[in-house]
Amino acid sequence: MNKRYQVVIVGGGPVGVALAVELGQRGISCALVERRTEPQRIPKGQNLTQRSMEHFHAWGVADQVRAVRILPPDFPMSGIVAYHDLSNEYWYAPPLREIVNSYYFEENERLPQYLVEDVLRQRLAQLGAVTTRFGWAAEKIEQDGSGVRVTAVEQGGAAREIIEADYVVGCDGGHSLVRRQLGIERSGSDFDQLMVLALFRSRDLHEKLKRFPPRSTYRVLNPDLQGYWQFFGRVDVGESWFFHSPVPADTTQDNYDFLALLHKAAGFSFICDFDYVGFWDLRIAVADRYQVGRAFIAGDAAHSHPPYGGYGLNNGLDDVANLGWKLAAKLQGWGDDALLQSYTAERQPIFMETGRDFIGAGIQRDRIFLDRYSPDRDRVEFEKAWREHEGAAAPRVLTYEPHYEGSPIVFGPPGSASSARGSHTFKARAGHHLPPQPLSSGRNVFEELGPDFTLLAFDGEDQTVAAFEKAARSLGVPLKIVCDGYQGGRTAYEAKLMLIRPDRYIAWSGDRTPADAAAIIAQAVGRA
Ligand SMILES: Cc1cc2nc3c(=O)[nH]c(=O)nc-3n(C[C@H](O)[C@H](O)[C@H](O)COP(=O)(O)OP(=O)(O)OC[C@H]3O[C@@H](n4cnc5c(N)ncnc54)[C@H](O)[C@@H]3O)c2cc1C
């Protein structure tokens, strides 16, 4: 590797490989350094949001991802929540993210992360702009005003290389070397709780859970566990499972009875064979910034969290969609440093709130509920509170709508802030995700978007379109124009004109020809 690259990516887990695909598709030359040769065959990261599936669509692999799904096509992805154990009379089956499917171009999906990684690696192999170094580890990151240098060593060999690039992105997981060498601090909550992750096979468990409607996951709320979950998840239907649960801090693979733990969480005994037992620390940690000079962090390197609610991988892929086009814009000369800085401004508050208000608050809410209510102490009071617990599940899904209203590069309402909390609507709102709509051609608007900026003009007058075209040309910003006379889209969006970013967020919307189209485009690429 003695050539200079535009971007070097440290860490080729799902987030690093996805970033290499995003940049490679944009023609950006990248080197990807990953210390493992193969993805870890642990069935984590299963719960994929509609947004993640939209990213896969943009990377040309949505169909391939769905094709490798293990669960049968119509098997529900949502789960059961049970009080105390899975044999208890108190349980409910809450809705999952499927209730917001209509607001996205792709529906949510469920499959093990390593299968997604396989698909992304196959896509990567088709992109000539990306050079991969699997089986290599980064040791040192240096930067100055003109570029970055990453020292990488071959695992199990003596080879060592210095890789030079314009920018480096650390996608190297929760223990990120890049983050540590950049001196980026993290804040959050360390629950000081060790968790076990066990993989096992059991047809017996499958048979014994038939009292429930078919579901993919089973969450146990045990009053002894302070709001921390015990969680069974299906890998397939009938045999393979994963399970996580709190365990004492000094637990090792050899000093603990994991079978007894499984039986206690189930509330009955069942036959099973273990395939794997590992541990993770229950911690929410968010980096206080995602950029230092020419170096960035993304995915678990920027935000670590328990797998409660399936926010981890999904947020990492959202980081990629946000950062990828900005790096490309800067490297291709049509975006400015302010555009790169908007990556931290837009993404960091989202995870800060996700960790605090959705994950941390959920643990706290369950802890208070379990402390306060018990069917043994007061059955009537418990049943009322249990119904409220169930009723709170759908509103949480409906209000999780990450948006960048407060971003300096979008035209959000005055005084607004970027947030993980929002609402779902088809109305076009600057700073929010673009909802799907059919066009008069019968194709969805998502099938017409360009890879860079797109102007959607419903009943647009020629002079408006010409003003945006001229402004984009003068600023060198790639812009695709999509004109449509169809009333349906315009009515649902409540706007005639919308400037859509490459990550399918709305930068600006309006009904009239703006006085200065160039000012709108310039602000959207950090050149205001
Ligand atoms: C049990 C469990 C269930 C989960 N379920 C979900 C879910 O349903 N939905 C969801 O969204 N998320 C889920 N997650 C979280 C999800 O798995 C992570 O958020 C995801 O793996 C993050 O991807 P990443 O690429 O950022 O980091 P990682 O997957 O940690 O990848 C980092 C990569 O960097 C490499 N690396 C590290 N240091 C170096 C170095 N110095 N040089 C070269 N390479 C290096 C590592 O080998 C690794 O491959 C779950 C996690 C667990 C543990």
Side-chain angles (χ1 to χ4, degrees), residues 44-85:
K44 52 187 185 174
Q46 300 233 17
N47 180 347
L48 295 169
T49 58
Q50 294 86 353
R51 260 301 271 172
S52 290
M53 292 308 298
E54 285 181 359
H55 303 324
F56 295 136
H57 171 80
W59 299 326
V61 294
D63 291 346
Q64 289 87 330
V65 166
R66 293 202 195 278
V68 295
R69 171 189 168 117
I70 297 178
L71 297 171
D74 294 324
F75 196 82
M77 290 178 260
S78 51
I80 299 289
V81 179
Y83 178 74
H84 197 275
D85 59 56

mmCIF file of all heavy atoms in Angstrom, residues 44-85:
data_model
loop_
_atom_site.group_PDB
_atom_site.id
_atom_site.type_symbol
_atom_site.label_atom_id
_atom_site.label_comp_id
_atom_site.label_asym_id
_atom_site.label_seq_id
_atom_site.Cartn_x
_atom_site.Cartn_y
_atom_site.Cartn_z
ATOM 1 N N LYS A 44 -25.689 -11.170 16.769
ATOM 2 C CA LYS A 44 -26.151 -9.919 17.352
ATOM 3 C C LYS A 44 -26.654 -9.014 16.228
ATOM 4 O O LYS A 44 -26.710 -9.436 15.078
ATOM 5 C CB LYS A 44 -25.028 -9.264 18.140
ATOM 6 C CG LYS A 44 -23.746 -9.105 17.372
ATOM 7 C CD LYS A 44 -22.630 -8.600 18.250
ATOM 8 C CE LYS A 44 -21.401 -8.345 17.410
ATOM 9 N NZ LYS A 44 -20.313 -7.735 18.140
ATOM 10 N N GLY A 45 -27.026 -7.781 16.596
ATOM 11 C CA GLY A 45 -27.421 -6.790 15.586
ATOM 12 C C GLY A 45 -28.508 -7.278 14.649
ATOM 13 O O GLY A 45 -28.477 -7.008 13.444
ATOM 14 N N GLN A 46 -29.529 -7.977 15.171
ATOM 15 C CA GLN A 46 -30.523 -8.606 14.292
ATOM 16 C C GLN A 46 -31.622 -7.670 13.819
ATOM 17 O O GLN A 46 -32.197 -7.856 12.763
ATOM 18 C CB GLN A 46 -31.215 -9.740 15.063
ATOM 19 C CG GLN A 46 -30.286 -10.804 15.532
ATOM 20 C CD GLN A 46 -30.741 -12.180 15.088
ATOM 21 O OE1 GLN A 46 -31.559 -12.336 14.196
ATOM 22 N NE2 GLN A 46 -30.202 -13.191 15.702
ATOM 23 N N ASN A 47 -31.904 -6.677 14.659
ATOM 24 C CA ASN A 47 -33.126 -5.897 14.501
ATOM 25 C C ASN A 47 -32.817 -4.677 13.634
ATOM 26 O O ASN A 47 -32.255 -3.695 14.100
ATOM 27 C CB ASN A 47 -33.522 -5.524 15.936
ATOM 28 C CG ASN A 47 -34.751 -4.708 16.038
ATOM 29 O OD1 ASN A 47 -35.250 -4.181 15.050
ATOM 30 N ND2 ASN A 47 -35.246 -4.575 17.245
ATOM 31 N N LEU A 48 -33.134 -4.756 12.348
ATOM 32 C CA LEU A 48 -32.760 -3.688 11.414
ATOM 33 C C LEU A 48 -33.942 -2.748 11.170
ATOM 34 O O LEU A 48 -35.037 -3.203 10.816
ATOM 35 C CB LEU A 48 -32.302 -4.292 10.085
ATOM 36 C CG LEU A 48 -31.018 -5.119 10.160
ATOM 37 C CD1 LEU A 48 -30.791 -5.885 8.856
ATOM 38 C CD2 LEU A 48 -29.815 -4.230 10.452
ATOM 39 N N THR A 49 -33.699 -1.446 11.342
ATOM 40 C CA THR A 49 -34.777 -0.474 11.136
ATOM 41 C C THR A 49 -35.058 -0.281 9.643
ATOM 42 O O THR A 49 -34.250 -0.648 8.777
ATOM 43 C CB THR A 49 -34.390 0.905 11.697
ATOM 44 O OG1 THR A 49 -33.188 1.321 11.041
ATOM 45 C CG2 THR A 49 -34.179 0.873 13.194
ATOM 46 N N GLN A 50 -36.153 0.389 9.393
ATOM 47 C CA GLN A 50 -36.506 0.758 8.012
ATOM 48 C C GLN A 50 -35.400 1.639 7.418
ATOM 49 O O GLN A 50 -35.069 1.499 6.235
ATOM 50 C CB GLN A 50 -37.818 1.563 8.018
ATOM 51 C CG GLN A 50 -39.040 0.798 8.460
ATOM 52 C CD GLN A 50 -39.241 0.779 9.964
ATOM 53 O OE1 GLN A 50 -38.413 1.224 10.742
ATOM 54 N NE2 GLN A 50 -40.380 0.246 10.393
ATOM 55 N N ARG A 51 -34.828 2.536 8.224
ATOM 56 C CA ARG A 51 -33.763 3.419 7.726
ATOM 57 C C ARG A 51 -32.548 2.589 7.299
ATOM 58 O O ARG A 51 -31.947 2.853 6.262
ATOM 59 C CB ARG A 51 -33.313 4.368 8.841
ATOM 60 C CG ARG A 51 -33.864 5.765 8.799
ATOM 61 C CD ARG A 51 -33.542 6.526 7.557
ATOM 62 N NE ARG A 51 -32.285 7.271 7.615
ATOM 63 C CZ ARG A 51 -31.754 7.869 6.580
ATOM 64 N NH1 ARG A 51 -32.337 7.810 5.388
ATOM 65 N NH2 ARG A 51 -30.630 8.536 6.689
ATOM 66 N N SER A 52 -32.183 1.580 8.125
ATOM 67 C CA SER A 52 -31.052 0.730 7.732
ATOM 68 C C SER A 52 -31.346 0.056 6.399
ATOM 69 O O SER A 52 -30.472 -0.031 5.527
ATOM 70 C CB SER A 52 -30.777 -0.326 8.806
ATOM 71 O OG SER A 52 -30.237 0.293 9.956
ATOM 72 N N MET A 53 -32.595 -0.396 6.219
ATOM 73 C CA MET A 53 -32.930 -1.064 4.959
ATOM 74 C C MET A 53 -32.899 -0.063 3.797
ATOM 75 O O MET A 53 -32.552 -0.427 2.671
ATOM 76 C CB MET A 53 -34.290 -1.760 5.063
ATOM 77 C CG MET A 53 -34.313 -2.953 6.017
ATOM 78 S SD MET A 53 -32.998 -4.172 5.699
ATOM 79 C CE MET A 53 -33.379 -4.718 4.034
ATOM 80 N N GLU A 54 -33.247 1.206 4.076
ATOM 81 C CA GLU A 54 -33.119 2.224 3.018
ATOM 82 C C GLU A 54 -31.645 2.417 2.641
ATOM 83 O O GLU A 54 -31.323 2.617 1.471
ATOM 84 C CB GLU A 54 -33.706 3.561 3.496
ATOM 85 C CG GLU A 54 -35.223 3.569 3.507
ATOM 86 C CD GLU A 54 -35.811 4.916 3.958
ATOM 87 O OE1 GLU A 54 -35.042 5.848 4.276
ATOM 88 O OE2 GLU A 54 -37.040 5.008 4.009
ATOM 89 N N HIS A 55 -30.769 2.346 3.648
ATOM 90 C CA HIS A 55 -29.336 2.462 3.316
ATOM 91 C C HIS A 55 -28.924 1.286 2.424
ATOM 92 O O HIS A 55 -28.196 1.463 1.448
ATOM 93 C CB HIS A 55 -28.461 2.456 4.573
ATOM 94 C CG HIS A 55 -28.796 3.538 5.555
ATOM 95 N ND1 HIS A 55 -29.198 4.800 5.176
ATOM 96 C CD2 HIS A 55 -28.786 3.551 6.911
ATOM 97 C CE1 HIS A 55 -29.428 5.533 6.253
ATOM 98 N NE2 HIS A 55 -29.188 4.799 7.320
ATOM 99 N N PHE A 56 -29.384 0.093 2.782
ATOM 100 C CA PHE A 56 -29.013 -1.071 1.957
ATOM 101 C C PHE A 56 -29.539 -0.907 0.533
ATOM 102 O O PHE A 56 -28.889 -1.310 -0.432
ATOM 103 C CB PHE A 56 -29.519 -2.376 2.581
ATOM 104 C CG PHE A 56 -28.867 -2.692 3.911
ATOM 105 C CD1 PHE A 56 -29.608 -3.142 4.988
ATOM 106 C CD2 PHE A 56 -27.507 -2.535 4.083
ATOM 107 C CE1 PHE A 56 -29.014 -3.408 6.212
ATOM 108 C CE2 PHE A 56 -26.888 -2.797 5.303
ATOM 109 C CZ PHE A 56 -27.642 -3.232 6.369
ATOM 110 N N HIS A 57 -30.720 -0.303 0.407
ATOM 111 C CA HIS A 57 -31.254 -0.015 -0.932
ATOM 112 C C HIS A 57 -30.279 0.902 -1.679
ATOM 113 O O HIS A 57 -29.933 0.659 -2.840
ATOM 114 C CB HIS A 57 -32.642 0.625 -0.806
ATOM 115 C CG HIS A 57 -33.187 1.148 -2.101
ATOM 116 N ND1 HIS A 57 -33.781 0.331 -3.031
ATOM 117 C CD2 HIS A 57 -33.194 2.401 -2.632
ATOM 118 C CE1 HIS A 57 -34.142 1.056 -4.078
ATOM 119 N NE2 HIS A 57 -33.804 2.313 -3.863
ATOM 120 N N ALA A 58 -29.825 1.956 -0.982
ATOM 121 C CA ALA A 58 -28.900 2.906 -1.623
ATOM 122 C C ALA A 58 -27.577 2.227 -1.980
ATOM 123 O O ALA A 58 -26.913 2.626 -2.938
ATOM 124 C CB ALA A 58 -28.659 4.099 -0.704
ATOM 125 N N TRP A 59 -27.182 1.222 -1.212
ATOM 126 C CA TRP A 59 -25.921 0.519 -1.487
ATOM 127 C C TRP A 59 -26.132 -0.675 -2.428
ATOM 128 O O TRP A 59 -25.216 -1.489 -2.626
ATOM 129 C CB TRP A 59 -25.275 0.061 -0.160
ATOM 130 C CG TRP A 59 -24.943 1.214 0.740
ATOM 131 C CD1 TRP A 59 -24.537 2.462 0.351
ATOM 132 C CD2 TRP A 59 -25.017 1.253 2.175
ATOM 133 N NE1 TRP A 59 -24.350 3.267 1.461
ATOM 134 C CE2 TRP A 59 -24.629 2.555 2.590
ATOM 135 C CE3 TRP A 59 -25.355 0.317 3.154
ATOM 136 C CZ2 TRP A 59 -24.587 2.941 3.926
ATOM 137 C CZ3 TRP A 59 -25.309 0.706 4.493
ATOM 138 C CH2 TRP A 59 -24.932 2.004 4.875
ATOM 139 N N GLY A 60 -27.366 -0.791 -2.941
ATOM 140 C CA GLY A 60 -27.657 -1.819 -3.956
ATOM 141 C C GLY A 60 -27.760 -3.225 -3.407
ATOM 142 O O GLY A 60 -27.631 -4.202 -4.170
ATOM 143 N N VAL A 61 -28.017 -3.381 -2.091
ATOM 144 C CA VAL A 61 -28.025 -4.741 -1.530
ATOM 145 C C VAL A 61 -29.280 -5.063 -0.702
ATOM 146 O O VAL A 61 -29.295 -6.075 -0.003
ATOM 147 C CB VAL A 61 -26.760 -5.008 -0.663
ATOM 148 C CG1 VAL A 61 -25.511 -4.991 -1.517
ATOM 149 C CG2 VAL A 61 -26.641 -4.011 0.491
ATOM 150 N N ALA A 62 -30.330 -4.239 -0.791
ATOM 151 C CA ALA A 62 -31.510 -4.507 0.053
ATOM 152 C C ALA A 62 -32.087 -5.897 -0.254
ATOM 153 O O ALA A 62 -32.422 -6.657 0.670
ATOM 154 C CB ALA A 62 -32.567 -3.422 -0.148
ATOM 155 N N ASP A 63 -32.175 -6.246 -1.527
ATOM 156 C CA ASP A 63 -32.747 -7.562 -1.882
ATOM 157 C C ASP A 63 -31.848 -8.690 -1.388
ATOM 158 O O ASP A 63 -32.322 -9.717 -0.903
ATOM 159 C CB ASP A 63 -32.924 -7.679 -3.401
ATOM 160 C CG ASP A 63 -34.030 -6.756 -3.905
ATOM 161 O OD1 ASP A 63 -34.805 -6.260 -3.058
ATOM 162 O OD2 ASP A 63 -34.082 -6.507 -5.125
ATOM 163 N N GLN A 64 -30.537 -8.501 -1.510
ATOM 164 C CA GLN A 64 -29.598 -9.532 -1.062
ATOM 165 C C GLN A 64 -29.686 -9.716 0.454
ATOM 166 O O GLN A 64 -29.621 -10.841 0.953
ATOM 167 C CB GLN A 64 -28.159 -9.171 -1.444
ATOM 168 C CG GLN A 64 -27.850 -9.272 -2.929
ATOM 169 C CD GLN A 64 -28.189 -7.996 -3.699
ATOM 170 O OE1 GLN A 64 -29.109 -7.262 -3.337
ATOM 171 N NE2 GLN A 64 -27.472 -7.752 -4.764
ATOM 172 N N VAL A 65 -29.848 -8.608 1.190
ATOM 173 C CA VAL A 65 -29.971 -8.710 2.650
ATOM 174 C C VAL A 65 -31.241 -9.491 2.989
ATOM 175 O O VAL A 65 -31.222 -10.418 3.806
ATOM 176 C CB VAL A 65 -29.977 -7.302 3.303
ATOM 177 C CG1 VAL A 65 -30.434 -7.360 4.747
ATOM 178 C CG2 VAL A 65 -28.586 -6.674 3.222
ATOM 179 N N ARG A 66 -32.346 -9.151 2.338
ATOM 180 C CA ARG A 66 -33.599 -9.867 2.649
ATOM 181 C C ARG A 66 -33.500 -11.345 2.252
ATOM 182 O O ARG A 66 -34.092 -12.210 2.892
ATOM 183 C CB ARG A 66 -34.777 -9.205 1.934
ATOM 184 C CG ARG A 66 -35.091 -7.799 2.458
ATOM 185 C CD ARG A 66 -36.509 -7.386 2.163
ATOM 186 N NE ARG A 66 -36.727 -5.958 2.333
ATOM 187 C CZ ARG A 66 -36.968 -5.353 3.508
ATOM 188 N NH1 ARG A 66 -37.015 -6.071 4.615
ATOM 189 N NH2 ARG A 66 -37.157 -4.047 3.560
ATOM 190 N N ALA A 67 -32.749 -11.609 1.199
ATOM 191 C CA ALA A 67 -32.655 -12.995 0.703
ATOM 192 C C ALA A 67 -31.930 -13.916 1.687
ATOM 193 O O ALA A 67 -32.163 -15.127 1.679
ATOM 194 C CB ALA A 67 -31.942 -13.019 -0.651
ATOM 195 N N VAL A 68 -31.047 -13.363 2.528
ATOM 196 C CA VAL A 68 -30.304 -14.230 3.455
ATOM 197 C C VAL A 68 -30.955 -14.293 4.841
ATOM 198 O O VAL A 68 -30.412 -14.911 5.759
ATOM 199 C CB VAL A 68 -28.810 -13.842 3.579
ATOM 200 C CG1 VAL A 68 -28.095 -14.047 2.260
ATOM 201 C CG2 VAL A 68 -28.623 -12.390 4.051
ATOM 202 N N ARG A 69 -32.114 -13.664 4.986
ATOM 203 C CA ARG A 69 -32.869 -13.752 6.242
ATOM 204 C C ARG A 69 -33.057 -15.225 6.619
ATOM 205 O O ARG A 69 -33.352 -16.059 5.760
ATOM 206 C CB ARG A 69 -34.222 -13.075 6.019
ATOM 207 C CG ARG A 69 -35.234 -13.224 7.119
ATOM 208 C CD ARG A 69 -36.593 -12.681 6.636
ATOM 209 N NE ARG A 69 -37.643 -13.059 7.546
ATOM 210 C CZ ARG A 69 -38.384 -12.185 8.242
ATOM 211 N NH1 ARG A 69 -38.210 -10.906 8.093
ATOM 212 N NH2 ARG A 69 -39.317 -12.613 9.058
ATOM 213 N N ILE A 70 -32.914 -15.552 7.885
ATOM 214 C CA ILE A 70 -33.061 -16.944 8.310
ATOM 215 C C ILE A 70 -34.512 -17.253 8.667
ATOM 216 O O ILE A 70 -35.022 -18.325 8.360
ATOM 217 C CB ILE A 70 -32.142 -17.241 9.517
ATOM 218 C CG1 ILE A 70 -30.672 -17.072 9.114
ATOM 219 C CG2 ILE A 70 -32.377 -18.649 10.037
ATOM 220 C CD1 ILE A 70 -29.686 -17.295 10.254
ATOM 221 N N LEU A 71 -35.194 -16.315 9.330
ATOM 222 C CA LEU A 71 -36.583 -16.555 9.727
ATOM 223 C C LEU A 71 -37.453 -16.706 8.478
ATOM 224 O O LEU A 71 -37.168 -16.097 7.447
ATOM 225 C CB LEU A 71 -37.100 -15.368 10.547
ATOM 226 C CG LEU A 71 -36.396 -15.087 11.881
ATOM 227 C CD1 LEU A 71 -36.866 -13.762 12.457
ATOM 228 C CD2 LEU A 71 -36.665 -16.212 12.872
ATOM 229 N N PRO A 72 -38.536 -17.498 8.559
ATOM 230 C CA PRO A 72 -39.448 -17.594 7.408
ATOM 231 C C PRO A 72 -39.989 -16.209 7.042
ATOM 232 O O PRO A 72 -40.103 -15.338 7.926
ATOM 233 C CB PRO A 72 -40.573 -18.495 7.923
ATOM 234 C CG PRO A 72 -40.008 -19.197 9.107
ATOM 235 C CD PRO A 72 -38.955 -18.320 9.693
ATOM 236 N N PRO A 73 -40.346 -15.982 5.773
ATOM 237 C CA PRO A 73 -40.666 -14.630 5.293
ATOM 238 C C PRO A 73 -41.682 -13.867 6.145
ATOM 239 O O PRO A 73 -41.488 -12.696 6.417
ATOM 240 C CB PRO A 73 -41.221 -14.879 3.889
ATOM 241 C CG PRO A 73 -40.602 -16.165 3.475
ATOM 242 C CD PRO A 73 -40.374 -16.973 4.718
ATOM 243 N N ASP A 74 -42.747 -14.509 6.584
ATOM 244 C CA ASP A 74 -43.772 -13.741 7.307
ATOM 245 C C ASP A 74 -43.690 -13.907 8.817
ATOM 246 O O ASP A 74 -44.617 -13.527 9.531
ATOM 247 C CB ASP A 74 -45.168 -14.139 6.809
ATOM 248 C CG ASP A 74 -45.340 -13.724 5.365
ATOM 249 O OD1 ASP A 74 -44.807 -12.652 5.010
ATOM 250 O OD2 ASP A 74 -45.953 -14.492 4.594
ATOM 251 N N PHE A 75 -42.608 -14.490 9.304
ATOM 252 C CA PHE A 75 -42.522 -14.723 10.750
ATOM 253 C C PHE A 75 -42.381 -13.368 11.467
ATOM 254 O O PHE A 75 -41.538 -12.551 11.101
ATOM 255 C CB PHE A 75 -41.326 -15.611 11.069
ATOM 256 C CG PHE A 75 -41.401 -16.202 12.446
ATOM 257 C CD1 PHE A 75 -42.164 -17.334 12.677
ATOM 258 C CD2 PHE A 75 -40.751 -15.611 13.516
ATOM 259 C CE1 PHE A 75 -42.259 -17.875 13.952
ATOM 260 C CE2 PHE A 75 -40.843 -16.135 14.786
ATOM 261 C CZ PHE A 75 -41.599 -17.268 15.011
ATOM 262 N N PRO A 76 -43.224 -13.096 12.498
ATOM 263 C CA PRO A 76 -43.179 -11.773 13.145
ATOM 264 C C PRO A 76 -41.809 -11.480 13.754
ATOM 265 O O PRO A 76 -41.185 -12.355 14.339
ATOM 266 C CB PRO A 76 -44.234 -11.871 14.248
ATOM 267 C CG PRO A 76 -45.069 -13.040 13.900
ATOM 268 C CD PRO A 76 -44.226 -13.980 13.099
ATOM 269 N N MET A 77 -41.381 -10.218 13.621
ATOM 270 C CA MET A 77 -40.078 -9.816 14.168
ATOM 271 C C MET A 77 -40.209 -9.298 15.599
ATOM 272 O O MET A 77 -39.220 -9.108 16.284
ATOM 273 C CB MET A 77 -39.473 -8.735 13.280
ATOM 274 C CG MET A 77 -39.050 -9.268 11.942
ATOM 275 S SD MET A 77 -38.392 -7.959 10.915
ATOM 276 C CE MET A 77 -39.771 -7.604 9.870
ATOM 277 N N SER A 78 -41.435 -9.021 16.019
ATOM 278 C CA SER A 78 -41.643 -8.455 17.351
ATOM 279 C C SER A 78 -41.564 -9.548 18.412
ATOM 280 O O SER A 78 -41.318 -10.719 18.101
ATOM 281 C CB SER A 78 -42.983 -7.738 17.397
ATOM 282 O OG SER A 78 -43.980 -8.597 16.908
ATOM 283 N N GLY A 79 -41.778 -9.160 19.691
ATOM 284 C CA GLY A 79 -41.517 -10.113 20.766
ATOM 285 C C GLY A 79 -42.602 -10.183 21.823
ATOM 286 O O GLY A 79 -43.653 -9.551 21.725
ATOM 287 N N ILE A 80 -42.290 -10.962 22.846
ATOM 288 C CA ILE A 80 -43.149 -11.123 24.023
ATOM 289 C C ILE A 80 -42.436 -10.438 25.192
ATOM 290 O O ILE A 80 -41.210 -10.521 25.296
ATOM 291 C CB ILE A 80 -43.307 -12.635 24.358
ATOM 292 C CG1 ILE A 80 -43.962 -13.394 23.204
ATOM 293 C CG2 ILE A 80 -44.026 -12.847 25.687
ATOM 294 C CD1 ILE A 80 -45.421 -13.109 22.987
ATOM 295 N N VAL A 81 -43.190 -9.781 26.066
ATOM 296 C CA VAL A 81 -42.637 -9.279 27.333
ATOM 297 C C VAL A 81 -43.348 -10.024 28.448
ATOM 298 O O VAL A 81 -44.589 -10.064 28.480
ATOM 299 C CB VAL A 81 -42.877 -7.762 27.481
ATOM 300 C CG1 VAL A 81 -42.320 -7.260 28.822
ATOM 301 C CG2 VAL A 81 -42.237 -6.998 26.330
ATOM 302 N N ALA A 82 -42.582 -10.665 29.341
ATOM 303 C CA ALA A 82 -43.197 -11.460 30.414
ATOM 304 C C ALA A 82 -42.694 -10.993 31.766
ATOM 305 O O ALA A 82 -41.521 -10.618 31.912
ATOM 306 C CB ALA A 82 -42.863 -12.938 30.222
ATOM 307 N N TYR A 83 -43.569 -11.035 32.738
ATOM 308 C CA TYR A 83 -43.192 -10.671 34.106
ATOM 309 C C TYR A 83 -42.584 -11.886 34.802
ATOM 310 O O TYR A 83 -43.132 -12.992 34.717
ATOM 311 C CB TYR A 83 -44.437 -10.195 34.868
ATOM 312 C CG TYR A 83 -44.163 -9.839 36.310
ATOM 313 C CD1 TYR A 83 -43.487 -8.671 36.637
ATOM 314 C CD2 TYR A 83 -44.576 -10.684 37.340
ATOM 315 C CE1 TYR A 83 -43.219 -8.346 37.962
ATOM 316 C CE2 TYR A 83 -44.315 -10.361 38.673
ATOM 317 C CZ TYR A 83 -43.630 -9.192 38.970
ATOM 318 O OH TYR A 83 -43.359 -8.876 40.274
ATOM 319 N N HIS A 84 -41.464 -11.714 35.442
ATOM 320 C CA HIS A 84 -40.777 -12.717 36.269
ATOM 321 C C HIS A 84 -40.118 -13.845 35.474
ATOM 322 O O HIS A 84 -38.938 -14.095 35.594
ATOM 323 C CB HIS A 84 -41.730 -13.310 37.322
ATOM 324 C CG HIS A 84 -40.985 -13.997 38.420
ATOM 325 N ND1 HIS A 84 -40.565 -15.293 38.321
ATOM 326 C CD2 HIS A 84 -40.561 -13.538 39.617
ATOM 327 C CE1 HIS A 84 -39.913 -15.608 39.418
ATOM 328 N NE2 HIS A 84 -39.891 -14.574 40.223
ATOM 329 N N ASP A 85 -40.895 -14.580 34.651
ATOM 330 C CA ASP A 85 -40.310 -15.628 33.803
ATOM 331 C C ASP A 85 -41.308 -15.969 32.699
ATOM 332 O O ASP A 85 -42.430 -15.475 32.691
ATOM 333 C CB ASP A 85 -39.922 -16.870 34.625
ATOM 334 C CG ASP A 85 -41.108 -17.472 35.353
ATOM 335 O OD1 ASP A 85 -42.110 -17.798 34.678
ATOM 336 O OD2 ASP A 85 -41.049 -17.602 36.592
#
